[in-house]
Amino acid sequence: MKTIHWLCLSAIALLASCAGGVREETPPTRFNDATPVGFPSTVRYFSADPRDFISRSEDMRRRLELASPDGTINVLALSGGAAGGAFGAGALVGLSRRGERPRYDVVTGVSAGALIAPFAFLGSAWDDRLIAAFAAERTAGLIRSSGVENLFKPGWFHSAGLVDLVDHCVTYELLDAVAHEAARGRLLLVATTDLDDEETVIWNMGVIAAQGGEAARRLFRDVLVASSSIPGLFPPVMIPVEHNGVRYEEMHVDGSLTTPFLDVPEAAFMSPLDGALLRGVHIYVIVNGQTGRMPLTTPLGTRSILAKSFSAALNHTSRTHVALTAAFAQRYGIAFKFTEIPLDHPEVEFLDFSPSNMQALFDYGLRCAERGRLWMTIEQAVDRAEFATVGSRRSPPRARELSECPLEAPPTDALSLTPPH
């Protein structure tokens, strides 16, 4: 009987390996100008396309001059991190409470950061809705196995929970508010990965919102879902596009597959820039995870190994991208600060969307921001990492202060992500 049981399972696995859904062809040219059906070409561009970047950079600069007449341009980049997104949500609410949250002229989001980005873009007045988006009733069902049927689908988990979460947040009211701010010159950008092209696609969410109607709401939602859809775990999002009058279909997945966060487009690292265009720019990055962590024994389980593998990849790419951004900022005289969950913080499990873990991460981000210990320079981050690794005897005295974003119980007026019954 056991032999028959295993033979049946093997046969199912073999069939699953051969199974695949039918889809339309993708556009045949790299860095093509295909656009979602019914939307203008300004709706998106490829991060690595230098020609497109140069042609758009001057237009973006003019828009930002409209948004910020004094020449100060605040850029907020929100990284991926799955459950770690609760840290970024708490940090933004903490900045609001402290009264130190500026109006960001450019807000970008990748993966979990993409879900936060619209609320960050719309400012402190939308904090209650940001908190509601991360409420236990919304996030607890994000990870749901689809059982045996997942063998025949392009994702281990159901996407229904993620789609429902985003669909609930993307209202016509939100679209109208985003369109209003975009008309003032501000930019809301979200990154996905075009898996067919294997490139980062940057979506101008303000252009989508300005289109209005149900088609705009669906595309806005689908871009956020795609940016958060970890390949292999969640199904990809298929987006119909048109190129030279021909209909195609693109497969979009998690933006953090190709970029951990979006502050400087890839093409900007490869193209000489006019420093005058970047005068007055301040870049702030919230890393919704860690750029390193203390050693911790990994259990012998598929989920644990998978989660740690994704975490390791994201940690290392985030660290590299932070270093690249710091070098870019130094070269062009840009003010750059960032924050992250420190490496000596108790382990952040990438796929743990339980209410207790989400609340703990939210509270930690909230306290760090409220106490004025959120932002660091690259030099301060190195000092803090050294303090966490070797202790106070061998690290600079200033590193002790940087390590003290306490882990004690939250204050009595802390905000709960679990609504009262």
Side-chain angles (χ1 to χ4, degrees):
M1 183 64 72
K2 287 184 178 180
T3 302
I4 295 174
H5 174 73
W6 283 110
L7 284 173
C8 288
L9 287 179
S10 299
I12 291 172
L14 180 61
L15 286 171
S17 69
C18 300
V22 177
R23 57 162 295 196
E24 300 292 335
E25 291 293 322
T26 195
T29 57
R30 190 167 184 256
F31 296 153
N32 61 78
D33 57 355
T35 57
V37 177
F39 289 85
S41 60
T42 52
V43 77
R44 65 182 194 169
Y45 60 97
F46 286 92
S47 176
D49 186 352
R51 297 165 302 174
D52 205 14
F53 171 74
I54 292 171
S55 66
R56 291 175 188 259
S57 59
E58 184 57 38
D59 176 65
M60 286 189 175
R61 181 66 191 189
R62 284 195 298 268
R63 289 178 54 82
L64 292 171
E65 285 175 350
L66 173 66
S68 181
D70 69 355
T72 300
I73 298 173
N74 292 312
V75 179
L76 174 66
L78 298 154
S79 87
F87 167 76
L92 287 169
V93 175
L95 288 172
S96 295
R97 282 184 157 196
R98 188 175 171 83
E100 292 185 354
R101 182 169 160 186
R103 188 190 76 162
Y104 297 106
D105 304 290
V106 181
V107 176
T108 73
V110 177
S111 195
L115 304 183
I116 305 170
F119 302 106
F121 182 71
L122 295 177
S124 300
W126 286 70
D127 279 356
D128 287 346
R129 299 184 214 201
L130 172 60
I131 294 168
F134 280 82
E137 63 186 44
R138 293 288 170 198
T139 60
L142 287 178
I143 299 297
R144 290 183 296 173
S145 174
S146 53
V148 174
E149 65 180 284
N150 65 26
L151 296 173
F152 303 93
K153 292 186 176 181
W156 189 259
F157 299 119
H158 277 299
S159 62
L162 176 60
V163 173
D164 287 347
L165 167 66
V166 179
D167 195 64
H168 177 80
C169 295
V170 180
T171 62
Y172 287 117
E173 183 185 4
L174 183 139
L175 255 64
D176 288 344
V178 168
H180 176 75
E181 292 301 319
R184 300 170 62 186
R186 299 175 63 214
L187 292 169
L188 173 60
L189 307 174
V190 166
T192 65
T193 297
D194 180 341
L195 205 55
D196 298 314
D197 245 353
E198 300 180 17
E199 295 289 351
T200 305
V201 178
I202 301 175
W203 297 81
N204 189 326
M205 307 303 281
V207 172
I208 298 175
Q211 191 86 349
E214 181 59 18
R217 196 191 74 82
R218 284 199 306 268
L219 182 59
F220 198 104
R221 177 200 65 193
D222 289 349
V223 169
L224 296 184
V225 171
S227 185
S228 309
S229 295
I230 305 166
L233 296 186
F234 293 106
V237 174
M238 310 305 296
I239 297 180
V241 298
E242 192 172 49
H243 180 56
N244 292 335
V246 180
R247 297 287 184 100
Y248 296 98
E249 188 178 56
E250 295 175 346
M251 179 182 288
H252 287 260
V253 297
D254 195 336
S256 62
L257 187 66
T258 49
T259 184
F261 53 85
L262 182 63
D263 54 352
V264 180
E266 188 177 342
F269 292 112
M270 303 180 287
S271 307
L273 299 176
D274 181 357
L277 293 175
L278 300 172
R279 191 174 298 125
V281 173
H282 298 253
I283 296 177
Y284 301 87
V285 175
I286 295 180
V287 178
N288 289 305
Q290 299 164 295
T291 57
R293 64 167 42 172
M294 302 300 287
L296 188 68
T297 302
T298 304
L300 285 171
T302 301
R303 177 166 170 160
S304 298
I305 293 171
L306 190 63
K308 287 292 286 287
S309 298
F310 277 117
S311 176
L314 190 58
N315 291 351
H316 280 264
T317 55
S318 295
R319 187 163 66 210
T320 300
H321 209 71
V322 165
L324 284 172
T325 301
F328 181 88
Q330 185 177 41
R331 178 180 178 183
Y332 289 102
I334 296 171
F336 169 58
K337 291 186 177 181
F338 77 105
T339 189
E340 64 170 335
I341 303 172
L343 63 86
D344 56 345
H345 188 283
E347 183 181 21
V348 179
E349 188 177 338
F350 185 71
L351 297 177
D352 183 3
F353 291 95
S354 66
S356 59
N357 185 55
M358 298 290 281
Q359 185 72 61
L361 290 169
F362 181 91
D363 289 340
Y364 187 71
L366 180 75
R367 289 198 303 277
C368 287
E370 277 192 311
R371 300 182 185 192
R373 298 187 183 277
L374 188 67
W375 302 119
M376 304 177 293
T377 63
I378 193 74
E379 294 80 13
Q380 289 170 328
V382 170
D383 287 343
R384 186 166 79 169
E386 184 179 359
F387 178 84
T389 303
V390 303
S392 58
R393 291 183 180 180
R394 293 171 53 196
S395 57
R398 61 180 176 172
R400 178 185 295 275
E401 292 184 5
L402 290 167
S403 71
E404 292 174 354
C405 193
L407 287 168
E408 77 268 14
T412 54
D413 63 342
L415 300 172
S416 175
L417 294 178
T418 304
H421 295 288

